[in-house]
Amino acid sequence: MPNHPPRTARSGTALLCALGVTLLGLATAGCEDDTAAASGRQQSDATRADVAADSDGGRTLPLGEPTSITYKSGSDHMRGALRVTAVSVRKGEHDELRTAGAEPSDVRTTQPYYVTMAFENIGENSLHYPFLNTPTGLEDTSGVDDQPLIAADTEVAACPGKDPDDFAAGAKVSLCKVFLVPNGARPSRVTYSTGDATKRPVSWKVTR
């Protein structure tokens, strides 16, 4: 005859096994809940950071006032955060462009203006070939987006605008960009559009 354990012993063993499985399930569920909560907090924090970074999108600020934006550009498409300021807009001279070999063909119908921007990398990522100045725009009093002066490998001494190859976390740089404003018009606002604010660029009012 087989030697079976008493029924009470079998019942106790089954109860202990069931209890162990239940406790293990609760522990696993607790870990999953903690992981999900942590992930949710991280996503929430990231979302709040993005919202805060682009809170000035669509607004017009006074010239010289900084704003923070989410940045998604550069050769590696690295996501970062910048503090950007339109520092100044000043009238340039065609002689300065001519000296640099960058005078435009429509010299008689346009007036050059120099827009100086300040950038600070307030994120945690270093941006490789960031093209910081590319999103800078200038709108004139007629509501037209003025054309930037495109002069490959040409540096206007009065308006230096060469981007850094690498923009490390915490780094700062000032860059200038030349715009050609039609005669009879004058600069109205500087715009900067990148990252999550491409449809709602931040802008700075240009005062005379």
Side-chain angles (χ1 to χ4, degrees):
M1 292 287 293
N3 187 17
H4 294 293
R7 178 173 298 181
T8 20
R10 288 201 303 270
S11 300
T13 303
L15 180 60
L16 287 174
C17 290
L19 182 59
V21 170
T22 302
L23 290 175
L24 179 60
L26 288 173
T28 304
C31 293
E32 290 176 350
D33 288 345
D34 289 343
T35 302
S39 176
R41 283 194 298 271
Q42 290 173 355
Q43 291 176 357
S44 177
D45 290 345
T47 301
R48 282 197 297 271
D50 288 347
V51 170
D54 294 323
S55 60
D56 286 330
R59 291 183 57 202
T60 300
L61 307 174
L63 202 65
E65 182 172 323
T67 186
S68 299
I69 63 163
T70 302
Y71 193 73
K72 289 191 289 188
S73 188
S75 62
D76 50 7
H77 304 289
M78 178 67 73
R79 188 183 186 90
L82 298 178
R83 181 172 290 117
V84 183
T85 311
V87 178
S88 64
V89 179
R90 63 188 181 88
K91 186 181 289 187
E93 299 293 337
H94 280 288
D95 286 345
E96 294 168 336
L97 304 187
R98 188 179 301 112
T99 299
E103 189 174 43
S105 57
D106 50 354
V107 59
R108 296 183 180 181
T109 60
T110 60
Q111 169 65 49
Y113 278 86
Y114 303 153
V115 177
T116 299
M117 304 288 292
F119 302 93
E120 179 182 0
N121 187 346
I122 58 174
E124 297 179 353
N125 299 319
S126 178
L127 304 175
H128 187 57
Y129 290 121
F131 306 110
L132 297 173
N133 220 8
T134 301
T136 302
L138 184 66
E139 187 178 287
D140 63 38
T141 47
S142 63
V144 174
D145 291 326
D146 297 309
Q147 294 299 310
L149 177 67
I150 305 299
D153 301 323
T154 301
E155 187 78 9
V156 178
C159 186
K162 180 175 172 51
D163 267 88
D165 291 343
D166 287 283
F167 198 46
K172 299 179 182 181
V173 68
S174 291
L175 301 173
C176 184
K177 191 171 182 177
V178 181
F179 288 89
L180 303 174
V181 179
N183 292 339
R186 65 178 188 275
S188 173
R189 64 178 190 142
V190 178
T191 61
Y192 198 81
S193 175
T194 187
D196 295 330
T198 51
K199 295 181 180 178
R200 298 173 60 250
V202 63
S203 61
W204 293 264
K205 183 177 178 57
V206 179
T207 55
R208 297 187 66 181

